[in-house]
Amino acid sequence: MIWLEEIEQVNGGAAVWGKVAVVGGGPAGLFLARLIRRARPAARVDVYERNAPHEANGFGVVFSARTMSRLRRSDPETHARIVRASVTVSDMELRHPRATLRYGGFDFSSISRQTLLTILQEQAASAGAVLHFGHHAAPGSLDDADVVVYADGANSAQRDARPERFGTTVRHGASPYMWLGTDAPFDAATFAFVATEHGHFAAHAYPYAEGLTTVVVETDPATWQASGMDRPLDHARNPGGSDEAALAQLSELFADHLGGHKLLGNRSRWATFRIVRNARWSDGNAVLLGDAAHTAHFTVGSGTKLAMEDAIALAAALDRDADPRAAFAAYERERRALVTRTQEWAEPSMRWWETFGRRLHMAPAQFGLHFMTRTSALTYEGLRRRFADRVDEAEEAYRTAGGTAARPGAAPGPAHGVAAPLLLGSVRLPNRLVEVVPEECDDPAAAVRAAGARGTGLVLLRGTRTVPRPDVAVGSVVRPERVGGGSAGETAAGTVPLFAEVVCPAADAWSPAGDELTATVRALVARGCEGVLLTTDPPPSTDPAPGPRPDAAPGMGTRDSIGPDPGPRITDAAPDSGSGTRTGAGPGTDPGPRPDAASDPAAGTRTDPGTGPVGRWYALLGHAERVRTETGAVVAVPVPDGWALDLPGSTGGDAWPARIHLALVTGRIDLVVSAAPTVTRPAVPAAG
């Protein structure tokens, strides 16, 4: 064995490391220990784990195809052992109370957590790492090592003993969840939703071995409390055990999906998800790894994946650099952007699952599409490439809900969502396009006529003005303080409907500012408002665009390809000013709620949740959906001037027409507000 002094001599006296202490014998800590020993056989690596070797919490863990590729490149031998012990799942099944939908193309590998730990324990030991089981390392007790790795999970005692060193913040999700298992057979990643007298429950299930499946059950706090499952257990009589009463109750609730089998526990108790972030991943000779450094909600399946990839990056950085602090900095630079991006994807996914019960009234196909787009990871083009039939069903449900069913025998068409009619109070709008006439307009009647000639479905006049005998639906849009009170009759006189214009906060839709916005709109509805125009500051604007495809087939967007008999046509306008694209791969996932795509433009995924105009758009949609769902108001949102009114997907990539189309079809918004739209392809007709 070569010790630190000898290594320093070999490296010419440079700062080096020779003794590594890893706190936490989970997948990341064990894999890191093996990788370090393989790269630096002279280093001493000790792993300290408080549990026994065969004492694993949980059931199965999952890896995306891309993560498995990274494992293979970093350690072919360990990868081969994991593959032999894994099962592969390709499909996802969504079990809505009224229908079951199947989605394909979500390949991932799943393995028993205990089996994975056994493999990694053996692989680490064979590489020369020393494993200490049943060893609780007190905070600070191992600081004499050259490198101290805190890999002790989201509840890291090492990190929490001095959180100021790392700038640690921890917050909790709202929904209670419980990690369970079953021997019921499942052949796909399955998401089952059940309604009870108390509210709704959901189960995430994915097989991880022959005849064995992981099941995560969650619900909203109100349902949890109403069902009685929030009552504390007598832990003294069942220390370290599962919540047996909840197990029995949940087995009964999901009996139709379990086929006579029961749910199984493994120290299974209700919990809320801990969202961990750290401003700094290292301090001195200590460095954070995996969940100790960051967490991302389990509905994007990234916990074990991110931790294992952290281990690969940290081992490589330590191998490259003799100075641990420099290696830590390089490791954090490499990993932080991807981890941050994954956490940004995970946030809307967590919110979706916390509020899924509010959407179960939707047509199953629309609910499914809403689920698939909950993180904005997939483009419309990517959705169609993966499961065109499911998209067709959602679009047909949307058109039918608006009273525009496709003609018998007509091919399913991607007619833009703005073409669907909408019943707004007693007024039937022929489409979802809205124009706003400003108060400074000298001739509002002429402005209304011009908008009607362009095929606009609704014209909103700012203020209290009216237009005699308009040929298009006309309403008012006023400031919130003008709604109700003594001037309510004057404000709405001669106009239907009445909208209030409200500026969305820059904060998240589920922040206190989002709560305040929702309460404001709820009060406006109570005072007679039928709709709200939600705006941002600054408003959306277009980003760079590819323009129309030169190879588009003749006749796309014509009457024959759209289906419904076209009404007044939306006339052509100026040349396309652009409808931006974002291509590339989103972060990989483990359980398959969303795809792990290849990193090329054809993959149909976005590289990140979006910044600038795109980021503001998705933030606006978050507020719009919450307001629409919780208040019952019709929601109109502004879209960039000059967006191309093409068929969704006709310009390729993640363009504005597709973004707007998906927001309408999935029920996140009702109406779109813009200046006269650009038409670079044959115009989308107003539905008659």
Side-chain angles (χ1 to χ4, degrees):
M1 181 71 68
I2 301 177
W3 293 103
L4 178 59
E5 295 81 2
E6 297 173 83
I7 299 175
E8 287 178 334
Q9 293 172 6
V10 170
N11 286 276
V16 295
W17 53 270
K19 184 179 180 182
V20 179
V22 180
V23 184
L30 291 167
F31 195 45
L32 175 69
R34 173 173 170 81
L35 293 177
I36 289 176
R37 282 288 303 175
R38 290 178 70 224
R40 295 282 189 97
R44 178 180 175 89
V45 182
D46 291 89
V47 180
Y48 299 89
E49 169 56 44
R50 65 181 180 178
N51 291 326
H54 302 293
E55 190 179 1
N57 292 333
F59 295 88
V61 297
V62 288
F63 296 115
S64 65
R66 188 164 55 181
T67 299
M68 291 298 286
S69 296
R70 290 172 178 165
L71 294 179
R72 183 180 64 249
R73 290 193 300 271
S74 63
D75 186 355
E77 181 183 323
T78 300
H79 170 267
R81 290 194 62 183
I82 292 174
V83 168
R84 287 195 295 271
S86 300
V87 298
T88 300
V89 180
S90 298
D91 288 355
M92 188 186 73
E93 187 168 282
L94 189 148
R95 298 180 180 179
H96 187 277
R98 300 194 301 276
T100 295
L101 305 172
R102 194 89 167 190
Y103 300 82
F106 295 93
D107 291 348
F108 66 93
S109 298
S110 183
I111 185 173
S112 159
R113 180 174 175 82
Q114 181 60 72
T115 300
L116 175 65
L117 287 174
T118 298
I119 290 172
L120 294 175
Q121 289 164 7
E122 293 173 356
Q123 292 294 96
S126 69
V130 181
L131 311 183
H132 306 267
F133 292 103
H135 185 111
H136 175 72
S141 62
L142 302 172
D143 286 354
D144 61 338
D146 302 308
V147 173
V148 184
V149 181
Y150 297 160
D152 51 341
N155 300 314
S156 172
Q158 304 288 330
R159 179 203 65 213
D160 289 349
R162 38 201 182 279
E164 69 284 349
R165 292 173 59 185
F166 302 101
T168 305
T169 60
V170 179
R171 63 186 178 87
H172 288 259
S175 289
Y177 72 93
M178 187 181 292
W179 214 274
L180 304 163
T182 184
D183 55 5
F186 286 85
D187 66 348
T190 302
F191 304 93
F193 303 88
V194 297
T196 74
E197 60 181 322
H198 305 297
H200 299 92
F201 288 81
H204 317 236
Y206 53 90
Y208 65 87
E210 186 66 33
L212 294 172
T213 297
T214 294
V215 181
V216 184
V217 174
E218 67 175 313
T219 187
D220 61 88
T223 301
W224 182 57
Q225 293 167 2
S227 67
M229 294 192 202
D230 63 324
R231 295 168 190 156
L233 298 174
D234 185 352
H235 292 281
R237 290 187 299 173
N238 188 23
S242 297
D243 186 337
E244 299 296 340
L247 271 173
Q249 195 170 346
L250 292 172
S251 292
E252 183 177 348
L253 289 179
F254 287 96
D256 290 345
H257 301 281
L258 296 172
H261 296 258
K262 300 295 183 183
L263 291 171
L264 309 172
N266 181 354
R267 303 180 185 179
S268 302
R269 299 183 184 276
W270 290 107
T272 53
F273 190 78
R274 289 169 60 92
I275 305 161
V276 175
R277 289 184 170 89
N278 287 278
R280 297 167 297 282
W281 290 6
S282 63
D283 179 77
N285 65 337
V287 62
L288 303 176
L289 187 73
D291 283 354
H294 48 73
T295 61
H297 197 249
F298 56 83
T299 56
V300 296
S302 46
T304 306
K305 161 206 162 57
L306 288 177
M308 296 284 280
E309 292 178 353
D310 278 359
I312 294 170
L314 179 56
L318 286 168
D319 186 43
R320 289 191 304 265
D321 206 310
D323 181 356
R325 290 164 178 78
F328 297 163
Y331 152 69
E332 184 172 347
R333 281 195 303 272
E334 178 181 344
R335 294 293 297 160
R336 181 175 284 279
L338 187 145
V339 166
T340 300
R341 187 176 71 192
T342 302
Q343 289 181 314
E344 289 172 346
W345 289 127
E347 186 79 17
S349 182
M350 181 180 72
R351 297 302 187 191
W352 191 96
W353 283 100
E354 289 176 348
T355 57
F356 69 87
R358 301 173 186 174
R359 303 179 192 88
L360 285 171
H361 67 281
M362 299 174 72
Q366 283 182 285
F367 180 85
L369 189 61
H370 197 292
F371 169 72
M372 296 305 302
T373 57
R374 71 193 187 281
T375 67
S376 74
L378 276 173
T379 65
Y380 181 83
E381 201 168 80
L383 289 162
R384 278 210 155 273
R385 184 163 49 253
R386 287 175 179 271
F387 23 79
D389 289 349
R390 299 283 84 85
V391 176
D392 286 342
E393 291 166 359
E395 289 172 339
E396 180 59 21
Y398 169 75
R399 290 193 293 264
T400 300
T404 314
R407 291 172 296 144
H416 201 287
V418 298
L422 176 68
L423 186 62
L424 185 54
S426 60
V427 179
R428 185 178 186 272
L429 305 181
N431 58 52
R432 306 300 182 99
L433 284 174
V434 180
E435 292 187 41
V436 178
V437 177
E439 285 191 87
E440 58 268 24
C441 177
D442 293 330
D443 191 349
V448 169
R449 287 194 299 272
R454 286 190 289 269
T456 300
L458 173 67
V459 180
L460 295 178
L461 300 174
R462 289 194 184 277
T464 61
R465 294 172 299 172
T466 62
V467 173
R469 296 185 301 279
D471 295 325
V472 64
V474 176
S476 284
V477 57
V478 298
R479 294 187 300 274
E481 61 270 20
R482 302 279 314 266
V483 176
S487 61
E490 296 176 10
T491 301
T495 63
V496 288
L498 175 63
F499 278 68
E501 183 173 10
V502 183
V503 178
C504 289
D508 177 78
W510 298 96
S511 65
D515 296 340
E516 184 177 351
L517 171 66
T518 304
T520 296
V521 175
R522 188 179 291 112
L524 291 170
V525 170
R527 284 151 53 193
C529 243
E530 291 184 75
V532 290
L533 169 56
L534 294 181
T535 62
T536 59
D537 188 17
S541 60
T542 53
D543 45 6
R549 291 189 317 187
D551 60 345
M556 282 188 67
T558 63
R559 177 172 181 167
D560 289 339
S561 65
I562 289 181
D565 185 26
R569 296 187 64 80
I570 299 169
T571 59
D572 289 353
D576 182 18
S577 67
S579 47
T581 61
R582 301 179 64 83
T583 57
T589 62
D590 292 353
R594 63 178 188 76
D596 176 45
S599 57
D600 65 80
T605 62
R606 302 184 181 92
T607 54
D608 55 59
T611 55
V614 180
R616 288 196 296 274
W617 169 251
Y618 288 111
L620 175 62
L621 288 189
H623 288 290
E625 182 185 2
R626 183 176 181 192
V627 164
R628 185 179 184 272
T629 302
E630 295 189 23
T631 70
V634 171
V635 175
V637 300
V639 296
D641 291 345
W643 65 278
L645 199 62
D646 298 339
L647 296 178
S650 64
T651 54
D654 175 26
W656 280 107
R659 293 174 189 144
I660 296 164
H661 176 74
L662 278 177
L664 288 164
V665 172
T666 56
R668 290 176 166 91
I669 60 175
D670 297 291
L671 298 163
V672 297
V673 182
S674 74
T678 296
V679 179
T680 59
R681 305 195 46 81
V684 176

